[in-house]
Structures are given as structure tokens and as C-alpha cells.
Amino acid sequence: MAVSADSIKKLREETGAGIMDCRKALEESTGDLERAALLLRERGAAKALSKENRRAQEGSIMAYVHHGGKLGSLVEVNCETDFVARNEEFITLAKELSMQVAATSPRWVAKEDVPGAFLEAQKEEFRKQAAELGKPADAFVQEKTDQLLSQLCLLEQPYIRDAAIIVSSLITEKVAKFGERIRVKRFVVFKLGEGDEQPPV
């Protein structure tokens, strides 16, 4: 089927994918924008998975300071080449991630980073809650665990500019676009006065 330039433009704006990829996805989905976007995300995820073991030591350390200077963050975002690291879109991604970290104060980058003992203790608490509420334990514990991870892990969080996607999906789209591995290596959040010891009363 013929695909309109307007449809390609809309899909590019939504996904950041290239013109040819957008055209192909729209042709395969018979013009359905939502389905085409899903196809592009699935392909982006597959590309990202294939690059997981590649070295990513270039990139950027980006800072964000909230208005008033009482809250800030530093985030290290890696890619494979200096060429991508200097790309304006990559720099924008790093800025967005530093803003996300400052806004949400996650504790870990990915759910794989969460200590097993901490997670098991939380699940045990959820099991007790399920018993008290008379709810099926397995489903309740899974739901509560997913909610917890979406708060504590940067990659599992809803993106602050579009809650319909999570941060890992945002990064996956950029991996598909640049053809390089992109990862958040680490971050730190600074809050004014945090950590000050209180004088004895």
C-alpha cells in the first residue's frame, strides 16, 4: 500500500526511527500508526539485545541542577564511539536522563542491580499484606514487586515526559537509531543538607 509522507513524519516524531524503517513498518501494518510504532519498538529491542555485550566506554557525564540549586544529579551515559557521544540527540538523551534521576531519585539503574536480600524482604512483606487482605499471594506479590521496581530502578520508571513509555524503552529507541550500545552506567543525586549530622540535643 502507498504510505503518506505525513504518516511517516508522525511515526518518526513518535519513535525517532529512520525514514525507511518507518515506511517499511507502516507498509507492514497497513498504515496503522500504533501497530507500526510497536513493530519499530520490537525491532529496536531486538537490535539492543544483540548489542548488549559490546563495549561502551565513550559517552557523557551529564549534570542537572534544579531551579534554586537545592537538588541536582550526575549521570554517566555510555555509548560505543565518540561520534555518537558528540551527537546532539545523544547529548539530549543524557540530559533527559539526568533530569529523570533528579526528579525521581531512583536507588538503582536496573532491576538486576537490586540486592537479592532486599528484594526478598520486600516480597515477604507483600505476602503478609496479601494474607491480611485475603488476596491470591502470587499475583499480589508480583504486582507489588513490579510497582516497587518501577519506583526504585531508573530503567523501569515511566519516562517523566511520557508516562506511556519506560526509560529502558526510550534508550532502546536510541540504540536502534544509532546502531550502538547505549547504557546508563551510574548516577548520583545530591540534595542540599542531606547527610548532615544533627547536633546532640
Side-chain angles (χ1 to χ4, degrees):
M1 64 165 288
V3 176
S4 71
D6 188 50
S7 293
I8 293 173
K9 182 182 177 185
K10 285 181 181 177
L11 189 58
R12 286 198 75 198
E13 288 173 351
E14 182 180 342
T15 65
I19 292 175
M20 295 307 295
D21 289 333
C22 288
R23 182 187 297 279
K24 187 176 179 182
L26 283 165
E27 287 172 350
E28 290 179 27
S29 62
T30 60
D32 185 326
L33 279 168
E34 190 172 327
R35 191 168 155 227
L38 180 61
L39 280 171
L40 288 170
R41 287 194 175 102
E42 287 173 348
R43 287 167 186 165
K47 287 181 182 178
L49 190 62
S50 72
K51 294 172 174 58
E52 269 301 297
N53 294 323
R54 284 163 52 166
R55 291 168 66 84
Q57 294 183 314
E58 295 294 334
S60 177
I61 295 174
M62 192 61 62
Y64 173 77
V65 179
H66 193 63
H67 299 300
K70 296 186 177 181
L71 174 70
S73 68
L74 283 173
V75 179
E76 180 178 348
V77 186
N78 296 138
C79 56
E80 295 178 42
T81 64
D82 184 56
F83 176 77
V84 168
R86 289 184 282 109
N87 183 283
E88 189 58 40
E89 195 166 339
F90 177 85
I91 293 169
T92 298
L93 172 65
K95 287 178 181 177
E96 290 291 297
L97 291 172
S98 64
M99 191 180 298
Q100 174 91 24
V101 166
T104 62
S105 295
R107 290 179 63 179
W108 296 284
V109 173
K111 58 186 177 182
E112 292 79 15
D113 301 327
V114 181
F118 170 84
L119 197 56
E120 192 50 49
Q122 295 299 311
K123 287 182 177 180
E124 185 57 36
E125 186 60 35
F126 296 149
R127 289 186 193 100
K128 291 178 183 176
Q129 292 176 18
E132 291 170 2
L133 296 169
K135 295 191 173 185
D138 289 348
F140 184 83
V141 170
Q142 188 61 56
E143 180 184 355
K144 288 292 187 179
T145 300
D146 289 345
Q147 289 175 359
L148 181 69
L149 292 174
S150 75
Q151 295 169 6
L152 299 180
C153 303
L154 173 64
L155 298 184
E156 301 300 313
Q157 291 181 340
Y159 177 37
I160 55 173
R161 294 198 187 279
D162 183 357
I165 64 172
I166 61 174
V167 172
S168 61
S169 296
L170 176 70
I171 294 172
T172 294
E173 288 178 5
K174 303 306 179 186
V175 170
K177 181 164 188 178
F178 292 124
E180 288 193 9
R181 183 186 178 200
I182 295 173
R183 65 166 182 166
V184 179
K185 184 177 181 181
R186 54 187 167 172
F187 60 77
V188 63
V189 179
F190 298 94
K191 295 179 181 176
L192 190 66
E194 190 173 66
D196 287 350
E197 292 186 4
Q198 296 296 317
V201 177

